[in-house]
Amino acid sequence: MADQTQAGALAPLPPNGRRVFLADLHLDGADTPRAKTFRALLKRLAAEAASTPTELYILGDLFEYWEEYHRQVAALYEADLAALEAAHKAGVKIFLLSGNRDFAYGKYVKRRFGATLLGDGGALRFGDGRNVWLEHGDLLCTADRRYLRYRAIVRSWPVKLLFWLMPWSIAKGFIGDIRQRTAADKKKKSAKEVEIDRDAARSRLEAHSCQLLMCGHTHRPLADDLGAGFRLIVLPAWCDTCAGYREKAGGLMAVRFEPDGTPGPADAQGKPAPA
Ligand SMILES: [Mn+2]
């Protein structure tokens, strides 16, 4: 696993700055409510960035599928990419972690919306002094052995080379096939297989000298202590709730977003909560 701790890492937020953390948007190129709310949120962040340093962290599975070998992939997500680009131009800093769906990020997203790629994980420092480790969460589902084997294969260079060489007409078929299999596979998985391994989470925090681990992937939101001062937050899946987390001077809080991008208080499940 690439150690990204140095990539702009551990920089505390400027006093008036804010960060937004989202995961598992699973955008598919259609004008779904989850896509429209995301674009509305980007517009709002763009407006805020004029007066407030604003950072957006996407903890993987922004897109249902991503690679940069075929221009047809980016074309599919044009409305979302245009919204990300507009936010970037307005000053929003955008950080992407690899998901199990969208791990093949490269030059395109850097050029198009200035994305900082954090790959399989990255660290940052909160205003309250805590060091925070971010990752997608698939590597922490250690009971899901079949997926972890598959993961190693699809990310290997021979498979990448194969996809690079493949004409779009054939690649498209493969992608549809992978999506169907993943969906069918998900239904077959046991509860344990889709759970974050708490020991693995704790080891990760110890290895990177962090106290809080934030991830997504399981679509089972959670905010829990791991003991010895360590804490785990599994973000709600945006595709289910249009919710996430926000850090500003007051600390870290769960938020959900109205269709126009207005934030409101939420609980750890991403459900509306009293202010
Ligand atoms: Mn995932």
Side-chain angles (χ1 to χ4, degrees), residues 24 26 60-61 99-101 136 138 216-219:
D24 299 289
H26 291 275
D61 289 355
N100 51 303
R101 306 300 198 99
H136 181 54
D138 52 335
H217 181 62
T218 64
H219 297 212

Side-chain angles (χ1 to χ4, degrees), residues 196-210:
I196 300 291
D197 176 344
R198 300 166 71 97
D199 292 334
R202 221 175 117 160
S203 310
R204 184 82 87 239
L205 288 171
E206 282 167 350
H208 295 282
S209 307
C210 291

Side-chain angles (χ1 to χ4, degrees), residues 244-266:
Y245 276 78
R246 190 161 65 159
E247 190 216 357
K248 50 182 188 176
L252 183 70
M253 64 211 88
V255 280
R256 56 184 291 280
F257 297 91
E258 301 296 334
D260 66 357
T262 312

